[in-house]
Amino acid sequence: MRRRWRELRRARLALPGAAVVCAFAVAALLAPWLAPDDPTRSNLANVLARPGAAHLLGTDELGRDVFSRIVHGARLSMLEGLFAVALAVTLGVPLGLAAGYAGGAADTVIMRCVDVLLAFPGVLLAVAVVSILGPGLWNAMVAVAIYTVPIFARLARGSTLVVKREVYIEGCRALGMSDLRIVGRHVLPNIAAPLLVMSALRVAVAILTAASLSFLGLGAQPPTPEWGAMLSNGRNYVLIAPHLVIFPGLAILLLVLGLNLLQEGLRLALDPRLTER
Amino acid sequence: MIPFALRRLLQAAPVLAGVSLAVFFMIHLIPGDPARLYAGLEASREDVENVRRALGLDEALPVQYGRFLGRFVTGDLGRSLKTGRPVGEEIAARYASTAFLAVLAIASAIALGAATGVVAAVWRRTAVDHAALLVSLLGLSLPPFFLGLVLMLFFSVQLGWLPLAGNATWRHAVLPAVTLALPAAAVISRMVRGSLVEVMEQDYIRTARAKGLTEWVVVNAHAVRNALIPVVTVVGLQLGYLLGGAVVTETVFSWPGIGRLIVQAIAARDFPVVQAAVLLLAVTFVGINLLTDMLYAVLDPRIRLE
């Protein structure tokens, strides 16, 4: 572990990435104390104010402080990314483990279902799922999770197939260990590294996808200070108040870029031969 | 080659059947009753039942699915509940305009991605390589709606070079195509770099160098050609994502594409349109993947023997 940490530090990309992500994590955790204003309190006497001393990033069409909204939005974006990926891992990894370890008919059935999910290109699957569940922040997160499940199922299956052939798994079997114990205690820890790298990458993608759904009006609804929803709303004022579009957009860009840098560093440190989709 | 193609086609068939089933049941899971919606608020229960019968929504789900599949295969996609026009007419033009954007975007992305990927690989582990990595990570991190709006603010509003939105002329396609192309170019660039770096370590490259060929000839005549083979798969996947994922870009630029049509049709509970459009995109995606597989096998004969 210590050696890995040193490699992680050596990968020069990971540190600035981690710094950016940490900054957003702090903003998310301390939002009520960092934000100078209530993110949903409107002030109709001071609408569409330019960025300045009174309001660092200006105010929106209802006079709400954009900086406070962005700080609170960090909570939602972090939540979107982490929840969607956590759910996708919980659903996808057991499926991939089962398919890879059991093989045979179980493998065929599980992977054909995964192929069907993968046949919906781009965000189409997430759009379809959210239209069944109805628009909203949590439903959008579930939709993003379902859209991410096939990726983890495939990765877990591929890695399991490799690990399954190792001698130590043979050894476990010879000792009479149960399949469940072999998978849990020996296969899973050995496929954890590529799963971790993929998780970091998918948190970034999940944040982008959830924000896209909000932008389309399928995710977080107003007045929630979600960055994609803020941007979608700011579009109506883009000509007179471009700061309503620029700042939420920059926030998403920075957080996702930080995660991507961190992911690239993690990848170099943990598994240099991992291929990305 | 022919047996390989047949095998791949046979593998795609159950996936397509699964997709049609998934689309059909997804549609029926969407809350809301189209018969009530289209009979109108004032309609009596009898009227609603009449509409339901007329739309064929009163039959058992497996029967409806069988009908839907039978009609889809013969090219009859039914009529839009909203406009009453044939679904084929509704989606054909929308599909074509999304495909036009996607092809324009993928062509630009290939050019940009291949050029930067080759440069990064040739000058591997130098400042050029690191800069290329940073730029492509930036490209991957750009939210499409933000990139689109910023391009629009700069090129249409500030400079007035290009139109704001719509699809009247080819100039309308420039900004949406760039918005779609940049993230795809970033992915292709990383793939080209990785693949070329691997190829440059092969024995035949050492042989080429030992023959005294210049580095230019080694890279361009020997390495790049082989390095581009695995890139074919990534380009195929990206083209599929562009077709399905263009919905956000289409919304930003008011581009009348199929993604926006799907979102609008879902909101209007226009089931036949949603069904046909989603199925059409999925079939296209599976078809593109099939084609890339075959192209790959043509380029690299070893694949056929797997």
Side-chain angles (χ1 to χ4, degrees), chain A residues 13 118 121 131-132 235 260 277, chain B residues 31 133 141 240-241 251 266 285:
Chain A
L13 296 169
L118 282 173
S131 64
I132 295 171
R235 239 181 109 207
N260 275 331
R277 190 183 155 202
Chain B
L133 173 61
S141 310
Y241 293 155
T251 305
I266 286 176
F285 191 43

Side-chain angles (χ1 to χ4, degrees), chain B residues 92-139:
Chain B
R94 298 294 203 105
Y95 182 71
S97 69
T98 294
F100 171 66
L101 262 195
V103 169
L104 208 59
I106 200 74
S108 332
I110 292 170
L112 190 63
T116 52
V118 169
V119 166
V122 170
W123 281 286
R124 166 157 70 118
R125 295 200 201 100
T126 66
V128 180
D129 187 18
H130 296 313
L133 173 61
L134 273 181
V135 170
S136 55
L137 284 179
L138 188 68

Side-chain angles (χ1 to χ4, degrees), chain A residues 76 79-81 83-85 87 130 136-146 210 213:
Chain A
L76 297 173
L79 178 73
E80 283 170 347
F83 176 81
V85 170
L87 187 57
V130 100
L137 180 67
W138 285 96
N139 289 346
M141 288 195 270
V142 171
V144 174
I146 291 176
L213 289 176

